Amino acid sequence: MMKTVSFFVVLIFMWLANFCEAQPVIVKNVDQSNFPEIKIQFFDRNPEVKNTSSYALLENASRVPSQLKRLKDSVSSGKDILILFENSVWPEYAPPRDYFKKMLKEALPYALKKGDRFFLATFDWTRPSDGKVLEIIEGNGTDNIDELQKQISNIEAPKIGNRIKLHSTELFQALAEGVQFLSSKRGANAPAIFVFSAEFSNIYNDKYDDAEVITDSRKADIPIYALRYQLMTAKYNLQKICHDTYGSHADVEETKNVEGLQKLNEMLVSVNSRCYGLFYELTYQTYAKPDGSIHEAEIVISGSDINKFSFQSPGIIYWFKKYPWLWAIVAFIVLGAIFLVYIFMRKKSKQRASEKMEVAAKMDRIRQENEDAIAQQQQAHLKEKKRREEEEEHNKITALEMEDIKQRAIRLKALPRPPSLTNAQSDRVTISTPDFNIGRDASKTQLHINDTTVSRLHATIAFEKGPGMSPSQLEGRFFIWDNGSGNGTDINGRKIPSISDANFIATELTSGDLIKMGNIQLVFNL
């Protein structure tokens, strides 16, 4: 369990590390199965660090004594080598070009091992067409020595064409493009870049510098090796680039070809260890408490590079492993708790038996009360259902009536001239609603008449509405009826039917009709 938790903690740490700048130390596993002894297994990409004194282990910023042990590496033996061949147009660069071609052709039969892949590219100046530097000659990776030797033999001084004749090369950009290219070809093999150069870089190209090349190379875990032809003084930090990317650097010269071949072979042999690192195990006694929490520690290399890792200390199981007699105490407590539970459950069982009879009687009483309540609820539900149905029917009728009033009001307003009523004093009142009530009650009428001979709701004038009339008889017409008033309503001296009469039919109004209600006379105008 503890190993599993530790494994996932380390995986999380390594996953987060992918988003940061590459570190020289890569923690592979943290084992705390023998807590408080902690064993950290890690790769160190710098093969020069190999002893305990070169490492310091810190917990809470305090150094903890530790022991270092070298473990057997379990990395791929195959290599992916990108050969970057500097190829300047400068005539004085012909000797380095010829020497490097000769060196490579002689070294390849001994350099190529089973599973290796070699890529080949030249570089000089930036191409105007795409701004790139590398000219890829072998881009698929090959283990065919004859084919590779043939490709190297065919390397010639670049043709200038329409480009400006410049003597220097784009060394930094070539290395940056090489890292990108080799990253895209990444497989199970250990990748590395071998640059053959006179360190003849263009000082006016500020697109890349040595720091960017180092950063990109370390993020991609690709070491850079350089064999430098001593044509001029070293002034472009090629040696620093090799050192900081965990590759190596060597100066070569034509007069010492055997020594140069030996250096190249040593570089090729070291590719795997410099790419993946050397495998170590660091053992120490932690100060952390066995509380099941996450703890952090740091591996410091040569006082500068700091590499953090995390582990989870064991929890309560640790104490039982350390003090086995704790199991007896726990067993006694558990058995005692079981016995107490048994006693408690027997007592509860007796209580439940005595309560069961009381509950049964109570349930009978409650059942009868519930049946009565249900019957009452059913009656109340039926009444409420009937009330809701009546209310819904009323609302439905009201909604239809309101919609009818709305539509008739729209058509009333659309008349060429608004209808009106005129009294004996020639006062004119406009009929502004489709149902126009006349009477003494101001709260229920649109035309309030304060006269005792007029009833509270005496009569109604309606537009396109007339009880007893068919729809075809209503269109565009006005009707009047009496609402059961005390003195009745006359039209042109003829008494009209009241709404309370049997077989009541509304009376149509035409313009100029004289309406008489009690002592009040009105003329209908249209």
Side-chain angles (χ1 to χ4, degrees):
M1 175 65 181
M2 290 184 291
K3 287 185 176 181
T4 301
V5 173
S6 170
F7 176 73
F8 281 109
V9 169
V10 172
L11 279 183
I12 292 172
F13 170 82
M14 294 175 69
W15 178 77
L16 291 172
N18 287 334
F19 296 92
C20 306
E21 184 175 350
Q23 296 294 329
V25 166
I26 302 172
V27 176
K28 184 179 181 182
N29 183 46
V30 180
D31 179 15
Q32 73 276 18
S33 57
N34 295 320
F35 191 87
E37 180 184 84
I38 305 294
K39 292 182 178 180
I40 309 112
Q41 295 178 349
F42 63 92
F43 286 102
D44 186 349
R45 290 192 59 209
N46 189 342
E48 298 173 2
V49 180
K50 296 181 180 179
N51 54 67
T52 301
S53 61
S54 301
Y55 295 88
L57 195 136
L58 304 181
E59 280 191 350
N60 298 324
S62 298
R63 183 163 184 164
V64 182
S66 59
Q67 292 294 324
L68 182 71
K69 181 173 70 174
R70 173 79 185 277
L71 301 178
K72 182 180 178 181
D73 302 334
S74 57
V75 296
S76 170
S77 60
K79 301 183 288 293
D80 283 347
I81 305 297
L82 172 60
I83 299 172
L84 293 186
F85 199 99
E86 186 177 63
N87 194 18
S88 173
V89 299
W90 189 31
E92 285 80 355
Y93 193 78
R97 178 170 45 251
D98 294 339
Y99 172 65
F100 284 144
K101 289 167 63 175
K102 176 184 176 183
M103 171 185 278
L104 275 170
K105 289 190 290 184
E106 291 179 5
L108 280 175
Y110 307 99
L112 263 170
K113 306 295 182 184
K114 184 178 181 180
D116 290 350
R117 293 191 305 172
F118 275 71
F119 303 86
L120 177 64
T122 63
F123 66 94
D124 60 331
W125 198 256
T126 306
R127 294 191 296 271
S129 59
D130 58 6
K132 299 292 185 180
V133 171
L134 290 189
E135 294 283 353
I136 304 298
I137 298 174
E138 174 54 58
N140 296 320
T142 183
D143 58 359
N144 188 322
I145 296 176
D146 294 337
E147 180 65 24
L148 201 56
Q149 287 178 330
K150 181 179 178 181
Q151 291 171 343
I152 293 170
S153 297
N154 292 335
I155 296 175
E156 298 177 351
K159 294 179 172 57
I160 298 175
N162 295 326
R163 293 186 295 171
I164 301 173
K165 183 177 181 181
L166 295 167
H167 295 162
S168 57
T169 61
E170 302 285 8
L171 177 59
F172 294 152
Q173 184 170 343
L175 289 171
E177 290 181 18
V179 170
Q180 295 171 8
F181 171 82
L182 206 52
S183 296
S184 68
K185 302 292 183 178
R186 194 69 179 257
N189 288 353
I193 293 176
F194 277 66
V195 57
F196 294 78
S197 167
E199 201 165 353
F200 197 43
S201 183
N202 170 23
I203 62 174
Y204 302 106
N205 184 352
D206 57 359
K207 184 176 180 180
Y208 292 95
D209 58 21
D210 55 338
E212 290 178 281
V213 172
I214 292 169
T215 299
D216 292 349
S217 171
R218 291 184 63 167
K219 283 183 178 179
D221 291 336
I222 298 177
I224 295 176
Y225 296 79
L227 286 99
R228 175 181 170 273
Y229 190 93
Q230 300 180 68
L231 186 63
M232 58 190 70
T233 58
K235 52 184 177 180
Y236 296 106
N237 295 331
L238 187 54
Q239 186 171 1
K240 173 178 171 54
I241 291 173
C242 296
H243 177 271
D244 289 357
T245 59
Y246 310 112
S248 62
H249 174 279
D251 287 333
V252 294
E253 53 185 297
E254 199 167 357
T255 58
K256 299 179 180 180
N257 185 47
V258 174
E259 182 179 340
L261 289 171
Q262 184 179 357
K263 290 178 180 179
L264 175 57
N265 183 62
E266 290 173 356
M267 290 179 177
L268 290 166
V269 170
S270 70
V271 165
N272 292 81
S273 61
R274 289 180 179 269
C275 176
Y276 295 110
L278 302 178
F279 198 24
Y280 295 97
E281 182 178 82
L282 197 65
T283 305
Y284 75 100
Q285 298 290 318
T286 180
Y287 295 140
K289 296 180 180 180
D291 53 8
S293 59
I294 303 296
H295 301 275
E296 289 189 352
E298 299 173 348
I299 300 175
V300 182
I301 305 173
S302 302
S304 58
D305 286 321
I306 299 176
N307 303 269
K308 293 184 178 181
F309 67 93
S310 302
F311 66 92
Q312 185 177 27
S313 62
I316 191 171
I317 298 299
Y318 168 79
W319 297 105
F320 284 98
K321 289 177 64 177
K322 188 172 183 180
Y323 304 108
W325 48 267
L326 286 174
W327 290 108
I329 295 176
V330 171
F332 177 78
I333 294 173
V334 171
L335 290 174
I338 293 173
F339 179 74
L340 291 175
V341 169
Y342 171 75
I343 297 298
F344 175 76
M345 293 301 293
R346 279 183 60 85
K347 184 177 180 181
K348 292 294 290 183
S349 177
K350 290 180 179 180
Q351 288 179 349
R352 284 194 295 269
S354 62
E355 292 171 355
K356 190 173 182 180
M357 297 296 295
E358 297 178 6
V359 170
K362 186 176 180 180
M363 290 299 295
D364 289 338
R365 186 172 64 255
I366 293 174
R367 188 180 300 108
Q368 185 60 46
E369 292 174 353
N370 287 342
E371 289 175 356
D372 296 341
I374 290 171
Q376 293 176 0
Q377 288 177 356
Q378 288 176 343
Q379 292 178 358
H381 176 71
L382 291 173
K383 289 181 180 180
E384 178 63 18
K385 181 179 179 182
K386 184 177 180 181
R387 185 194 66 78
R388 284 199 300 267
E389 289 175 351
E390 292 174 350
E391 183 179 352
E392 288 176 0
E393 184 65 25
H394 174 73
N395 291 338
K396 188 183 297 183
I397 294 172
T398 302
L400 291 173
E401 290 176 348
M402 292 300 295
E403 179 63 22
D404 176 64
I405 292 172
K406 179 180 177 182
Q407 295 299 323
R408 288 190 293 117
I410 293 172
R411 293 193 292 272
L412 176 63
K413 289 183 179 180
L415 292 175
R417 185 170 56 191
S420 63
L421 296 172
T422 308
N423 61 13
Q425 290 78 31
S426 299
D427 295 329
R428 183 182 295 273
V429 177
T430 300
I431 299 175
S432 56
T433 61
D435 293 330
F436 194 82
N437 294 320
I438 305 169
R440 201 172 70 251
D441 189 344
S443 64
K444 296 181 179 180
T445 60
Q446 282 72 42
L447 177 57
H448 171 230
I449 300 175
N450 190 15
D451 188 287
T452 56
T453 63
V454 176
S455 297
R456 296 173 63 83
L457 184 60
H458 197 104
T460 298
I461 298 174
F463 175 64
E464 293 186 347
K465 179 181 178 182
M469 309 297 290
S470 64
S472 61
Q473 295 175 316
L474 297 176
E475 184 176 353
R477 298 178 180 180
F478 287 85
F479 298 86
I480 186 170
W481 60 83
D482 185 84
N483 290 315
S485 63
N487 294 320
T489 303
D490 295 345
I491 301 296
N492 298 327
R494 182 171 59 87
K495 191 176 184 68
I496 66 173
S498 172
I499 199 170
S500 59
D501 297 342
N503 301 322
F504 160 73
I505 297 177
T507 301
E508 182 179 357
L509 279 175
T510 57
S511 184
D513 284 348
L514 178 63
I515 304 169
K516 184 175 182 298
M517 294 176 287
N519 296 330
I520 302 302
Q521 291 186 354
L522 301 170
V523 177
F524 176 71
N525 303 297
L526 181 60

